[in-house]
Amino acid sequence: MISVQEALQIVLKNTLDFGSEKIPFMKSVGRILKEDIHADRDFPPFNRVSMDGVALDYTSFQNGERAFFIEGIQPAGSPQISLSDHKNCVEVMTGAVLPGNTNVVIRYEDVLIENGIAKIQLEEVAHFQNIHAKGKDRKEGDIIIHKNKLISASEIGVLATVGNSKVKVAKQPKVMIISTGDELVGVNEAPLDHQIRMSNVYTLVSLLDRLHISSETDHISDDKPILKQKIKEYLKDFDVLLFSGAVSKGKFDFLPEVFQELGVDKLFHKVSQRPGKPFWFGQKKGCKLFAFPGNPISTFANCLAYFYPWYYKSTGIKTNDETAILTENISFKPNLTYFLQVKLSHKYGHLLATPIKGNGSGDLASLVNSDAFIQLPKDQKEYKKGENYPIIRYR
Amino acid sequence: MISVQEALQIVLKNTLDFGSEKIPFMKSVGRILKEDIHADRDFPPFNRVSMDGVALDYTSFQNGERAFFIEGIQPAGSPQISLSDHKNCVEVMTGAVLPGNTNVVIRYEDVLIENGIAKIQLEEVAHFQNIHAKGKDRKEGDIIIHKNKLISASEIGVLATVGNSKVKVAKQPKVMIISTGDELVGVNEAPLDHQIRMSNVYTLVSLLDRLHISSETDHISDDKPILKQKIKEYLKDFDVLLFSGAVSKGKFDFLPEVFQELGVDKLFHKVSQRPGKPFWFGQKKGCKLFAFPGNPISTFANCLAYFYPWYYKSTGIKTNDETAILTENISFKPNLTYFLQVKLSHKYGHLLATPIKGNGSGDLASLVNSDAFIQLPKDQKEYKKGENYPIIRYR
């Protein structure tokens, strides 16, 4: 049985390149940028007025002039006008081009306007004040968003500004999610006493939605020939198969045998962790198989702990490892990495993790009260209040 | 001019109730639950086998019995069978109903099976071991998800389990986003020297998408009669109007006048903050108007600092205030609350905020390199490395 670290390394060595595609920029939030975005002109593209007021010639002001005849007006969105007499001024609006022959903007708050004359109420002004100078933020040709950035609302405005109405992003993998287990019935069915409703496929669909991956789903009964026939087809049609169930020691846990018979290359089976120990990972040609144990918390934790990093690495996103501070002592005897559910809170810039005691990997409802897993290393038995460990958030 | 705290209080006193609607549960991620979700049966609904192995009678084991004839098999998804002889055992699979007359499960790892006899390799077992007892997680009728929860993947599995294929969530507000500014041209246009492409509407659409709110957009030229006529219609048709631009001191900043002429009740205009000072907030009947100044960072910061909390309060979500620790000394003289862009990182469970020096509220591209605003209070001029302040994340 391999460790969580070894398992993760193997998973991350076996990434896929999904290729790239051009999509409308307004559909690109949550996707991964696959081109550098360059400034198509200087930013700002002109000396830009940054306060409403009057623009005038700095030298005139320095020479003692305080009353300026208003020669004209320069609204935002109008072609540049120029001051014809350096003793005059121009009214200017935020976002306008700075008029020619001016190099200072005095905001309205510091000006008294009477009979077409602007009287400056200041004794000192700075050259180029209230002017956002051409090219100050970025020069034409500069990279303003680097490749492999996860696109968020903050990038959308920049893409619009440089006119990238289409943007090159990583394609998403084609994913099929397959649940097994004859005890499962549909959400709309009334389960008999020995049955339960299926939940893992829906959880997995939602976890993939969070990555903006749309997926297909199937439920296959615990019948070996049917499993084999269906998986054989799916191996051809999908980049990723995610399974929940049928990978442990049960008499109807047919998946490992089926995978072998279909020529799938097993990369590992079983990881020294709780929950989620019987995780099986393998590949056949371009298709990767993540077979998670069927307990709800096991499936959930493994999708976050393995599929997510695999997807991030495949698409080129760099992620930040996050740690949190335990608020209670935890004792855990088995020689396993422990993915413990925690509730997160914040205090004085510290991220605090309070353990939520669930009833094991079958206790799906316990996820509702927690926000993350904290990953407690297997070479310890005691984890003390105040110590910090890596976390995996799911909210 | 009011403070950020006063402005936020006024905004939060003027929330709206958007009502509720039933939607398919698989569409509900990111929406706010508006009903308590109850357990429709005990969880687990039966004494559930939690390891593959054999089930037997505890008393027989205690009486020294170690070899048990395998009487039958209890797969997951099959009706319960019962042990006919307490000296025998039943093979059981994870997820199966515990067979009648048994009360211990021994996992396969601790059993040697030969000729139909299971020989137990343990000297001690615990009553009910490897059995997830009926009702241990939740009792029928218990609330398993409380009203006003923001639904995530973790809730989806629970909703499926209890058969809530439809779920009652808060309706979303009808929002119109309106930009102004004659310097703006479309994303697909080539701007003239004095023009720039519009970006704020797209940023706002994306920020609302993050809340799963779909919105409509319009761009209105800086022409008072047209503004008035269009806004008059929008006031009737929408719950919220978000504006960017035309609320400052410029000669073409017509919005405050237009609002007044249309009988909109002004709740405040101008907040002692940077960026975003000229923010205007008001209402007319059921419609709330958030008019943000047009500089990109101002619009962005104000949407996060005011519209987001307003939406959270309107829908009933409780949010956690988050703070981060400055990694550098900051000096800021104006008597204004400073929304400073920061890059976030994690160390030893601490959330660190490193200031990103942009070139003022027009420097949209600076958002690409930062993750959040840190909110520095206006009654200070110096903010020291190591001190913690509230943050507003946008990634």
Side-chain angles (χ1 to χ4, degrees), chain A residues 49 53-57 83 88-92 98-99 102-106:
Chain A
V49 173
V54 296
L56 45 83
D57 174 28
L83 196 65
N88 294 345
C89 73
V90 173
E91 278 189 85
V92 291
L98 183 72
T102 72
N103 43 30
V104 160
V105 170
I106 321 267

Side-chain angles (χ1 to χ4, degrees), chain A residues 160-356:
Chain A
T161 298
V162 299
N164 270 63
S165 60
K166 290 213 162 193
V167 62
K168 189 174 164 187
V169 296
K171 269 193 193 161
Q172 296 291 47
K174 280 190 72 182
V175 181
M176 170 58 85
I177 297 170
I178 299 149
S179 65
T180 60
D182 283 349
E183 72 276 29
L184 301 179
V185 300
V187 174
N188 284 313
E189 288 176 58
L192 300 175
D193 281 350
H194 55 279
Q195 297 176 324
I196 57 171
R197 293 192 188 86
M198 55 181 75
S199 63
N200 283 344
V201 277
Y202 302 113
T203 306
L204 288 172
V205 167
S206 302
L207 284 175
L208 267 60
D209 263 353
R210 229 174 138 222
L211 301 173
H212 299 257
I213 300 169
S214 54
S215 52
E216 296 184 42
T217 64
D218 194 5
H219 179 76
I220 314 182
S221 59
D222 295 329
D223 176 308
K224 203 172 149 186
I226 298 179
L227 275 167
K228 196 167 165 182
Q229 179 209 327
K230 286 204 158 187
I231 294 170
K232 192 177 171 189
E233 291 307 309
Y234 293 150
L235 281 169
K236 291 185 217 150
D237 296 340
F238 291 89
D239 299 317
V240 178
L241 307 184
L242 294 185
F243 295 87
S244 93
V247 287
S248 192
K249 289 186 175 295
K251 278 217 169 334
F252 310 98
D253 289 350
F254 295 126
L255 284 184
E257 293 166 44
V258 165
F259 294 154
Q260 194 186 6
E261 291 171 22
L262 290 171
V264 179
D265 184 17
K266 179 176 90 171
L267 294 168
F268 60 79
H269 187 194
K270 287 184 191 149
V271 185
S272 57
Q273 67 177 67
R274 179 176 297 168
K277 189 166 81 172
F279 173 33
W280 192 105
F281 179 68
Q283 63 183 346
K284 184 170 184 181
K285 290 182 187 155
C287 184
K288 309 289 170 180
L289 294 84
F290 294 77
F292 304 134
N295 266 324
I297 313 283
S298 306
T299 292
F300 196 79
N302 277 336
C303 181
L304 291 164
Y306 298 102
F307 178 77
Y308 268 50
W310 177 86
Y311 170 79
Y312 291 143
K313 178 114 189 285
S314 292
T315 52
I317 315 178
K318 280 188 189 59
T319 53
N320 279 330
D321 288 336
E322 205 176 354
T323 55
I325 300 166
L326 278 178
T327 62
E328 295 172 19
N329 293 332
I330 291 289
S331 178
F332 182 71
K333 300 282 184 293
N335 188 29
L336 300 169
T337 296
Y338 187 21
F339 289 102
L340 171 64
Q341 287 165 250
V342 292
K343 179 107 197 134
L344 298 177
S345 58
H346 305 273
K347 203 169 185 181
Y348 310 134
H350 297 190
L351 183 58
L352 305 178
T354 302
I356 296 296

Side-chain angles (χ1 to χ4, degrees), chain A residues 40 46 48 52 109 137 149 155 161 165 188 193 195 197 249-250 295 323 349 351 359 368 395, chain B residues 40-41 46 48 52 109 137 149 155 161 165 188 193 197 249-251 295 323 349 351 359 368 395:
Chain A
D40 63 327
F46 44 78
R48 184 179 163 277
D52 304 312
E109 290 89 331
D137 301 343
K149 184 102 188 172
E155 282 70 41
T161 298
S165 60
N188 284 313
D193 281 350
Q195 297 176 324
R197 293 192 188 86
K249 289 186 175 295
N295 266 324
T323 55
L351 183 58
N359 294 320
V368 170
R395 284 184 204 278
Chain B
D40 64 327
R41 52 209 292 229
F46 44 79
R48 183 179 163 278
D52 304 312
E109 288 88 333
D137 301 343
K149 183 104 188 170
E155 281 71 41
T161 299
S165 59
N188 284 313
D193 281 350
R197 294 193 186 87
K249 288 185 175 295
K251 277 216 169 336
N295 266 324
T323 56
L351 183 58
N359 294 320
V368 170
R395 284 183 204 279

Side-chain angles (χ1 to χ4, degrees), chain B residues 19-304:
Chain B
S20 63
E21 59 184 335
K22 282 261 184 188
I23 61 171
F25 83 112
M26 283 305 287
K27 303 267 184 202
S28 72
V29 169
R31 302 291 295 273
I32 296 95
L33 186 65
K34 280 292 163 191
E35 59 181 333
D36 289 330
I37 302 295
H38 295 268
D40 64 327
R41 52 209 292 229
D42 286 351
F43 287 100
F46 44 79
N47 287 327
R48 183 179 163 278
V49 172
S50 65
M51 290 297 245
D52 304 312
V54 296
L56 45 84
D57 174 27
Y58 179 70
T59 313
S60 298
F61 185 92
Q62 289 305 91
N63 289 339
E65 200 70 62
R66 291 293 178 273
F68 296 80
F69 172 71
I70 300 173
E71 218 186 75
I73 187 161
Q74 175 79 60
S78 288
Q80 187 191 36
I81 59 172
S82 282
L83 196 63
S84 64
D85 183 328
H86 66 95
K87 294 194 166 173
N88 294 346
C89 72
V90 172
E91 278 190 86
V92 290
M93 303 305 136
T94 302
V97 182
L98 182 72
N101 304 325
T102 72
N103 43 29
V104 160
V105 170
I106 322 268
R107 49 182 204 155
Y108 278 131
E109 288 88 333
D110 302 323
V111 178
L112 195 70
I113 296 180
E114 277 176 355
N115 305 321
I117 308 286
K119 291 184 185 160
I120 311 304
Q121 312 291 299
L122 296 172
E123 278 316 306
E124 254 183 73
V125 302
H127 189 248
F128 247 63
Q129 78 175 28
N130 298 324
I131 298 162
H132 194 174
K134 180 173 193 284
K136 190 176 180 199
D137 301 343
R138 300 292 184 282
K139 297 286 181 201
E140 184 179 335
D142 280 359
I143 297 179
I144 46 177
I145 316 179
H146 286 268
K147 194 175 157 172
N148 292 336
K149 183 104 188 170
L150 179 60
I151 299 170
S152 74
S154 6
E155 281 71 41
I156 289 296
V158 176
L159 291 170
T161 299
V162 299
N164 270 61
S165 59
K166 291 215 159 189
V167 61
K168 190 173 164 187
V169 297
K171 270 192 192 159
Q172 295 292 47
K174 281 191 70 182
V175 181
M176 170 57 85
I177 296 170
I178 299 150
S179 66
T180 60
D182 283 350
E183 72 275 29
L184 301 178
V185 301
V187 173
N188 284 313
E189 289 175 58
L192 300 175
D193 281 350
H194 55 279
Q195 296 175 324
I196 57 172
R197 294 193 186 87
M198 55 182 77
S199 62
N200 283 344
V201 278
Y202 303 113
T203 306
L204 288 173
V205 167
S206 302
L207 284 175
L208 266 60
D209 264 352
R210 230 176 138 219
L211 302 173
H212 299 258
I213 300 169
S214 55
S215 51
E216 297 184 40
T217 64
D218 195 6
H219 178 76
I220 313 181
S221 61
D222 294 329
D223 176 308
K224 203 172 149 186
I226 298 179
L227 275 167
K228 195 168 164 182
Q229 180 209 326
K230 286 204 160 189
I231 295 169
K232 192 178 171 187
E233 291 306 310
Y234 293 149
L235 280 169
K236 290 184 219 152
D237 296 340
F238 291 89
D239 300 317
V240 178
L241 307 184
L242 294 185
F243 294 88
S244 94
V247 287
S248 193
K249 288 185 175 295
K251 277 216 169 336
F252 309 99
D253 289 350
F254 295 127
L255 284 184
E257 292 166 45
V258 166
F259 294 155
Q260 195 186 5
E261 291 171 21
L262 290 172
V264 179
D265 184 17
K266 179 176 90 171
L267 294 168
F268 60 79
H269 186 194
K270 288 184 190 149
V271 186
S272 57
Q273 66 176 68
R274 180 177 297 167
K277 189 165 80 170
F279 173 32
W280 192 106
F281 179 68
Q283 63 185 344
K284 183 170 184 182
K285 290 182 187 154
C287 184
K288 309 289 170 181
L289 294 84
F290 294 75
F292 305 133
N295 266 324
I297 313 283
S298 307
T299 292
F300 197 78
N302 277 335
C303 181
L304 292 164

